[in-house]
Amino acid sequence: MNGKGLALIPRAEGKQTLKDFKSDQEVRWCPGCGDYAILAAVQSFMPELGIKRENTVFVSGIGCSSRFPYYMNTYGFHSIHGRAPAIATGLAASRPDLSVWVITGDGDALSIGGNHLIHALRRNVNLNILLFNNRIYGLTKGQYSPTSEVGKITKSTPMGSLDRPFNPISLAIGAEAGFVARTLDSDRKHLHSVLREAAAHRGTSLVEIYQNCNIFNDGAFERMKDPATRDAITVRLEHGQPIVFADQAVRLARTGGVEVVPRESVREEEILVHDAHNPDPSLAFALSRLDEPAFTHVPIGVFRSVDRPSYDQLMSEQLEAATAKKGQGSLSDLLHGGDTWRIS
Amino acid sequence: MNGKGLALIPRAEGKQTLKDFKSDQEVRWCPGCGDYAILAAVQSFMPELGIKRENTVFVSGIGCSSRFPYYMNTYGFHSIHGRAPAIATGLAASRPDLSVWVITGDGDALSIGGNHLIHALRRNVNLNILLFNNRIYGLTKGQYSPTSEVGKITKSTPMGSLDRPFNPISLAIGAEAGFVARTLDSDRKHLHSVLREAAAHRGTSLVEIYQNCNIFNDGAFERMKDPATRDAITVRLEHGQPIVFADQAVRLARTGGVEVVPRESVREEEILVHDAHNPDPSLAFALSRLDEPAFTHVPIGVFRSVDRPSYDQLMSEQLEAATAKKGQGSLSDLLHGGDTWRIS
Amino acid sequence: MTKQVQQLDRVIIRFAGDSGDGMQLTGDRFTAETAEFGNDLSTLPNFPAEIRAPAGTLPGVSSFQLHFADHDILTPGDAPNVLVAMNPAALKANLSDLPRGADIIANSDEFTKRNLAKVGYAESPLEDESLSEWRVHSVPLTSLTVKALEEFEISKKDAERAKNMFALGLLSWLYHRPVEATIKFIESKFAKKPDIAKSNVAAFNAGWNYGETTEAFSVSYEIKPAKLAPGVYRNISGNQALAYGLIAASVQSGLPLFLGSYPITPASDILHELSKHKRFGIRTFQAEDEIAGVGAALGAAFGGALGVTTTSGPGVALKAETVGLAVTTELPLIVVDVQRAGPSTGMPTKTEQTDLLMALYGRNGESPVPVVAPSTPSDCFDIAVEAARIALKYRTPVMLLSDGYLANGSEPWKLPEIEDLPDISVEFTTEPNGEDGTYLPFKRDTETLARPWAVPGTPGLEHRIGGIEKADGTGNISYDPNNHDLMVRLRQAKIDGIDVPDLEVDDPSGSARVLVLGWGSTYGPIAAAIRRVRRSGSEVAQAHLRHLNPFPKNIGEVLKSYDKVLLPEINLGQLALLLRARFLVDIISYNRVRGLPFKAEELAGVIQDVIDSE
Amino acid sequence: MTKQVQQLDRVIIRFAGDSGDGMQLTGDRFTAETAEFGNDLSTLPNFPAEIRAPAGTLPGVSSFQLHFADHDILTPGDAPNVLVAMNPAALKANLSDLPRGADIIANSDEFTKRNLAKVGYAESPLEDESLSEWRVHSVPLTSLTVKALEEFEISKKDAERAKNMFALGLLSWLYHRPVEATIKFIESKFAKKPDIAKSNVAAFNAGWNYGETTEAFSVSYEIKPAKLAPGVYRNISGNQALAYGLIAASVQSGLPLFLGSYPITPASDILHELSKHKRFGIRTFQAEDEIAGVGAALGAAFGGALGVTTTSGPGVALKAETVGLAVTTELPLIVVDVQRAGPSTGMPTKTEQTDLLMALYGRNGESPVPVVAPSTPSDCFDIAVEAARIALKYRTPVMLLSDGYLANGSEPWKLPEIEDLPDISVEFTTEPNGEDGTYLPFKRDTETLARPWAVPGTPGLEHRIGGIEKADGTGNISYDPNNHDLMVRLRQAKIDGIDVPDLEVDDPSGSARVLVLGWGSTYGPIAAAIRRVRRSGSEVAQAHLRHLNPFPKNIGEVLKSYDKVLLPEINLGQLALLLRARFLVDIISYNRVRGLPFKAEELAGVIQDVIDSE
Ligand SMILES: Cc1ncc(C[n+]2csc(CCOP(=O)(O)OP(=O)(O)O)c2C)c(N)n1
Ligand SMILES: Cc1ncc(C[n+]2csc(CCOP(=O)(O)OP(=O)(O)O)c2C)c(N)n1
Ligand code: SF4
Ligand code: SF4
Ligand SMILES: [Mg+2]
Ligand SMILES: [Mg+2]
């Protein structure tokens, strides 16, 4: 596979395997942490891209999740809290031949790093941002995060948190994101399918990955994993497919949003067919509101995937256009370019 | 008038006039700047609130617009670039008896201050944020801003800007805002009506005000002011009213968003009736996308106004609950509260 | 069997195990028993950077060191007399700190092939000769615990997890600790799970009985209570003391406390602690980042609150611009930096004193701020009140430099009498201070140079402040060159003029020629080293700075009255730079930047060398 | 009428008017004519903080000062010989700088009741006696211009706006400036509006003719070209020179330039300038804030670019955390701080030298960075290349401290020969440097202590770096205490060991007892002051620091070889603090923090006092 997102990245010569992507560093998350599953999924996914390993870079901020780059046998940069999108932007904008992945957590991406995230999304540099959302601050031992539910009791909120969480999908769509998806740590197949589309997308892609922190927020996504509840709440979005799950279907609501109704109660044509490529983000936004109140219905998959030129691409084009017009810059010409005079 | 937003703020005794709200400082914007009109509108609006002038505070960041507090004869804090929402949050959260107004620009609020803005919105402290959007950096002499249109030629982008602008209304709705509105510097009546609703709303209200910068981005909103185009593109949103303008009407589109159609071509029931109080933000979001491409149709008015408890209120309640349960804190009890022992 | 009881004057114990083994809890409980018993004590917890590094690995080792004695002591001790090693990793990670002859109590159950291999032991050190220089007590802690709990209806996993309580019981027996409080503690901790509560108590008792009955331990030890000053004591860590100090400052100033903070190691516990005390009218605000944290605190200060922000080094860097705004708007604000090893992310769980120059100079423009630093965990209480006093009296942000060692270390604290706490109450301005009933927000107090503080809600005093240069008096925006020079100097003069107590010098004979100066958390190790040096017959003076800016007025004199001044710092010489520049004194620096406190022995050697080289 | 022509050796002109009057443009053009004519020159633009303050008010006054001479000069001059005042506000705002006897050319048309009232003149100073000590030339510039343009089809407003060209014409006549280039300039500037172009040229000519024909001016002046070193010259401002220097560094290093920046006065023009030169492969990225600006530059550096970020003081504060990351990851990066008056927002359009200590210490942990500072506008070119050299050779962020005075001021610049520019090319690492073909990203060059630089895309050298402490050599995360101490010292030693040229001392006789030391933009005023002092018969030495960290190796010697060292700084003594601490030398500081450069006369007095007090 090789979508536009990888068009400028050199292809690997031989075949690569999972092992090629494992670094020699001992993995140090808590036993049982969802990060393990994601790491394994990514390591097993990378060979599929067929790009040179040395042209792959993982950039992260700070948090448990942000340790990720150490475990990938690629280039990596474990930076500072919240700033990975900014650092990755400079890297990707100046090196279109690299496949740049940002690894971040809900605190890293949405609390301290919120501004860089939303700007990266509107700017559309060729980045893949994987947001490990465990709805808690793991590394600092369990304070509530901007995705924690209201009333969350943590060390910093002994009487419960007061502020309404972000819905990362809604926020990203509101920030003009071209590619937005959600998946789950424990569903490797789905994770792979979403990563595949993200990598193929040229521009910034945001993938929210629900990740269990079994130490400080265990079971946050249990309803999506427990066979007893899973199927009744998981809404799998697939482009071009009607949005149906269990015995339910999704249709447009009169009031502007979307609603879940018993499948039998609607006509086939009424069922919403998912269009991830819709230039108007309104429907993707409406779908992101399906899980209100939280975990009644949780869409996963690609909400939105719309092509537009990536920032790095446009930047390169300007450089080329300027050079095409007046030739490559000459330092001597530049210095002598103003009003000069000679003294002899 | 006195909505919930002002419930905790002491009422003025006598009648106040515009003059009461004018400070002794000389106003120093460029002649013709849209900021003058907004200042005059706000000064003439404030007496209507009937709250004590001394309980009113204007907090701003940095930018031309952020000079605003100096001209209001209230308490004021001209802070640093982008941080006004954070500073105002501390003030409003600790002083529910104050009416706190944040004055900010498109660069101040959406570029450097983007993170504070989105967090203020989801957090819902009792603040009124007035975002003067002139789609340019005024104070630093004319670089493009996060609301400038793609291809904008400025000093920092001589070949045109590359990044897609934010739509502040979409961004705010994506950030869980409870109150979002838009108005125009030159339409004092409309400005007043929006300010009135913003002030009455308890929680964070965001008001985007289109503001002409006649020096660096003159005429940015000309299509909304020019009698020749004005009425054909301005969509006035009024709660409970069908959304119609000129000979056009707005209805739900099949693809999830909303669309503009000739009024005559639709049945009355098909015309969308604006519901600013809809708990689901999807429709408000869809309406925010009406001006794509920019200035084909620009909704103004209150997009969304939904009640939920404000952060400061919840915070006060926790303090009260804690005190109710165990009584006011005693320092001596606190210090002696752990395992103690006596040495004599 | 009656066992021998030996008298000791002091003991250093280190509990070490896997992160999951509950060593911090064990250490805390032993500390509580020891405090209750009346020994003086000092503790040093040491956790891994990871939340739970893989079980059994070296990076996963968590430890807790406790020094207790029958006299007053100053540090958690250099080298443990006893190491409790719950697994091979714990043994390996800590062995190098253990002096020959020390006791090792090892959980032999965990010395399995697999666990040994994880840390690179080919053979079990409990079984070969490699530990022959130590006194090794191999105890099958896990299986003994499981056996002791057979009768309980709990899972094997839960039974195994109680092994730390078994160890605690054993150690409690070994050192004659009172046990009632621990039993109560266990019962209340697991109040909701009575089975677990009972089994943990049983494990604890079993450990005690094991010591009492088996022959593995033939001697137990008694350490008499210390003769400390009379009063009521509790054990307290630096972070907790700091939080209590801030609450006290709020009470004593009459201002509501507003904390704007963003979690960061090792400062987060101050946020956690303060968020529990809403009954004091304390508002804790977990902000989206450090900038918002300090911004909100400053906004609250503008509104008349005692504004505080707590963080560590990287957070201080981020707050710089806002602290500069506080400097120029002259609003009170407390910025707590619990320093950790840098630069950048550095080693978040390790201690360091490397933020002093940042605290002083880490802002654009001439931007003076007072800086204070506590010297011991309990001093964090007093220094917080002192920071508030300065902030409120002089209307200025104050930097408070704690560090990881103070934050997590603990010691007995003699509780202050409330009535002895300073009155730091503030009067807001409520009346015009200018001509014609105008309000001049920058008309200064002639003595302190502080500006008046009129808060929103005060009729008639509406005014505007901001980050642009202000005209003296009116506070209006001013670009006048002479006004700017004046304001720069006035802001500096205000800070330079802060009333700071004189530096006290401990020089018993009055004839020492060498002064050892310190600041911050090095107090304990320096003082302990000084004791050693004096004990060995040399004369040496000690002085410790709690005020780093401005300095005490007598400091120049003090420095000049000694032939040599030795200044140990856990940095590359930051305070030394300041003193050299100010007093042109050739300070002798001793610097080690290892993320750890100094050891008393190490410092004693350095001090002796300086004395001898005279 | 033949007019008298008088020879002068130097003149200082100040153009002053409303922000809308085009004074900067007028000044620029006069400067260009003067440069073309071959005088040496130096300029000082001075704009209001507001974009366009209300017309006719004092805060709205914009001015441009130009000093030109038949010999080499060093500053824009202390006090103007001629003030062109386009309105009463311009007169009032500038009069106090004007020595008695100076010429005033005032636009009498603007001295209306209304305009006079705006600035508090009861009567027109042109008509009462108040200006009797100056030589006042009342010229109705506006009406003369409008009259001269009667024949053109332009609005009255446009005609009036051309009055600055009339003034320029008059001044060009008065000082015998060549005019062709100005006429060409006007024609090309208004190429799209031929009417405006023609009328502006006409206004310019009318001004010239007015001088030539009326009796208002009986004397005109000739200032011979200066005898500067042979070569090709252009006039250049500091910001432009800095931008060119960065481009040169990119060319000379062979690395593409990546600028991550956020607009801020007075640094924005560097971003503007660089964004024009995409043909050099330069990527300019206007980031969402300063943190993103430096972050992107660092990311680009990781990818092998010459990463640069440009800002002013408040922005530096915000970038601190990321610069710390660059320090610990040891990546090359240039951080340009165009200093402005602080603290906080301060006075953005005014100059200052108050960020030196922040540059050095404004980060958590021991976080050493080299610091360089240009001394003149054209030196900004060289210093940019030097900053790049250090950054690339030593793999380190470098702080470059320019300031508002250098940024906007201009002077003739003798263009360097491209082949004389240093070769600062870099070799990326492409081969394993460890055993068994491994790559050790922290295995240092034994001479420079720089680490290798392998960029993504290099097969076999995949590696990870980050902000946590790294093991020496491998770069793996390490919490080992001794490793940390080692790394802290290695990072410091690397910076301390940077090769920096020796400090040159200008001490013609070799027998001066007083040394005047400076750094940054004070070079011109200090050197001019030194000339005065020497002219008056005293001996004094001068030295100027371009490298603030590390210092030149010989600096200690230099300092100690003079009885007194005087150090003027536009701060409260920041460099003095560093030198005192390092060399225990009792530096004499002279500090004025007025947002303005020093005046040569003022400094001459200070220097003389120091000499005399010997
Ligand atoms: C500037 C700065 N502020 C705060 C911290 C402390 N800190 C480290 S990670 C983190 C939050 C982690 O939460 P998240 O991003 O959700 O990651 P997780 O650990 O849950 O994977 C915080 C507050 C820091 N390292 N740097
Ligand atoms: C930390 C910091 N960065 C940059 C600046 C420079 N700056 C001042 S205002 C501004 C942007 C102004 O744009 P906007 O917010 O849209 O306000 P406007 O002037 O257009 O009203 C910038 C970049 C600053 N003052 N502080
Ligand atoms: S604390 Fe939570 S997120 Fe972090 S490693 Fe442990 S389980 Fe994973
Ligand atoms: S620059 Fe633009 S926004 Fe600023 S004062 Fe002038 S007109 Fe208004
Ligand atoms: Mg998380
Ligand atoms: Mg703007």
Side-chain angles (χ1 to χ4, degrees), chain B residues 65 105-107 132-138 145 211:
Chain B
S65 35
D106 44 324
F132 293 25
N133 184 3
N134 55 13
R135 310 186 78 191
I136 201 81
Y137 289 176
S145 93
Q211 172 245 324

Side-chain angles (χ1 to χ4, degrees), chain B residues 62 64-65 81 106-108 134 136-140, chain C residues 321, chain D residues 262-263 290:
Chain B
I62 298 281
C64 293
S65 35
H81 199 31
D106 44 324
D108 196 57
N134 55 13
I136 201 81
Y137 289 176
L139 191 68
T140 47
Chain C
E321 194 200 8
Chain D
Y262 186 71
E290 280 85 355

Side-chain angles (χ1 to χ4, degrees), chain A residues 67 81 111-112 143-144 156, chain C residues 50 54 57 262 272 286 288:
Chain A
R67 284 259 178 155
H81 198 32
S111 198
I112 192 167
Q143 299 82 10
Y144 85 116
S156 60
Chain C
E50 289 79 16
T57 63
Y262 186 71
H272 303 160
Q286 182 178 315
E288 58 270 26

Side-chain angles (χ1 to χ4, degrees), chain C residues 542-587:
Chain C
Q542 187 191 3
H544 206 76
L545 275 172
R546 295 168 80 240
H547 290 86
L548 285 313
N549 193 38
F551 290 129
K553 293 218 171 46
N554 66 333
I555 186 173
E557 243 170 85
V558 168
L559 294 179
K560 284 176 184 155
S561 57
Y562 289 89
D563 293 346
K564 295 188 180 173
V565 179
L566 172 69
L567 174 47
E569 295 182 81
I570 309 181
N571 60 36
L572 292 182
Q574 301 197 0
L575 175 59
L577 180 134
L578 298 172
L579 294 172
R580 292 171 66 90
R582 179 74 174 279
F583 302 106
L584 301 179
V585 169
D586 196 2
I587 307 280

Side-chain angles (χ1 to χ4, degrees), chain B residues 28-30 32-35 64 134 138-139 211-216, chain D residues 51-52:
Chain B
R28 291 201 192 149
W29 288 304
C30 305
C33 177
D35 289 348
C64 293
N134 55 13
L139 191 68
Q211 172 245 324
N212 192 40
C213 166
N214 56 310
I215 300 293
F216 297 112
Chain D
I51 305 304
R52 300 254 194 293

Side-chain angles (χ1 to χ4, degrees), chain B residues 67 81 111-112 143-144 156, chain D residues 50 54 57 59 262 272 286 288:
Chain B
R67 285 260 179 155
H81 199 31
S111 198
I112 192 167
Q143 299 82 10
Y144 84 115
S156 60
Chain D
E50 290 79 15
T57 63
Y262 186 71
H272 303 160
Q286 181 177 315
E288 59 271 26

Side-chain angles (χ1 to χ4, degrees), chain C residues 478-499:
Chain C
S478 168
Y479 276 75
D480 177 56
N482 291 328
N483 175 74
H484 179 52
D485 189 73
L486 175 70
M487 291 298 274
V488 165
R489 287 170 200 276
L490 279 172
R491 286 186 289 259
Q492 184 68 45
K494 181 179 80 168
I495 303 306
D496 290 346
I498 289 171
D499 56 333

